[in-house]
Amino acid sequence: MWSRYAENHKGIALRIEPNLDKNSKYQLFRQVIYREKRPPLYDDTLEFIADSLFKEKEVRVRTAIDKIVYAKTLEWEYESEYRFAIPVLPRDEPWDTLPYHPEEITELYLGLAMEDTDRNEIVGLAKAINPNIMIFRAKREADGKIAFDRV
């Protein structure tokens, strides 16, 4: 997944552990369900009409998220992905200012091909946010697999 999602090993991955005592929004992470085919938003026309006429908008949005956002086809099952999706409604705060608690960002994983300047900048920012963050750097094992050493 590092080559696909982390700009060919130049990116990072974070471990986030929700702070339950502070009612963290990160408790909303949910495991993706892998299926043969992605589910349709509505099973039939009658369900669509009934929901449009009688269901509250928030309920319809939550149902769509649960059905679509947390589903992928079987070809991606090897990822064992978790997702975090929050519908932003007009009365809600903007997504780009979603608050978090610094101690929730517990681990930082640095990609194998990350440039030194990028690595130094990211590590500095991470430590400024959470001085207790654990930092790991990718390395390639003799068998070609990727492993991580703590920095």
Side-chain angles (χ1 to χ4, degrees):
M1 289 177 31
W2 278 91
S3 59
R4 181 182 309 263
Y5 294 114
E7 197 177 336
N8 204 26
H9 301 268
K10 293 178 185 175
I12 66 166
L14 297 172
R15 180 178 182 140
I16 299 169
E17 295 183 30
N19 186 325
L20 305 180
D21 294 334
K22 294 181 179 178
N23 197 25
S24 171
K25 290 184 180 182
Y26 290 117
Q27 294 177 72
L28 299 175
F29 268 109
R30 291 192 29 213
Q31 191 169 13
V32 168
I33 298 169
Y34 298 94
R35 307 166 190 241
E36 187 175 328
K37 296 186 318 188
R38 288 184 54 83
L41 191 54
Y42 291 97
D43 293 326
D44 57 46
T45 305
L46 185 58
E47 179 188 7
F48 169 74
I49 292 170
D51 282 2
S52 297
L53 292 173
F54 303 113
K55 265 193 184 172
E56 291 182 35
K57 181 178 181 179
E58 289 184 37
V59 173
R60 290 195 331 259
V61 169
R62 174 54 53 199
T63 301
I65 286 175
D66 288 348
K67 200 169 190 181
I68 301 298
V69 172
Y70 295 105
K72 288 179 89 169
T73 56
L74 291 173
E75 68 183 297
W76 302 103
E77 194 169 20
Y78 69 93
E79 293 182 341
S80 299
E81 183 177 348
Y82 282 74
R83 289 186 172 175
F84 175 52
I86 298 175
V88 179
L89 301 171
R91 70 172 188 279
D92 294 337
E93 60 192 88
W95 67 270
D96 58 344
T97 58
L98 183 69
Y100 67 95
H101 309 288
E103 71 276 5
E104 294 181 305
I105 313 300
T106 60
E107 296 176 9
L108 168 64
Y109 293 83
L110 304 167
L112 186 66
M114 182 174 275
E115 300 286 334
D116 287 341
T117 54
D118 293 337
R119 182 173 45 255
N120 294 336
E121 180 180 358
I122 289 170
V123 167
L125 290 169
K127 286 183 176 181
I129 290 170
N130 179 3
N132 298 318
I133 194 167
M134 291 185 283
I135 300 171
F136 300 88
R137 186 170 180 190
K139 68 176 184 179
R140 186 147 333 254
E141 300 273 282
D143 63 2
K145 292 183 179 179
I146 293 179
F148 291 88
D149 285 334
R150 189 163 178 187
V151 177

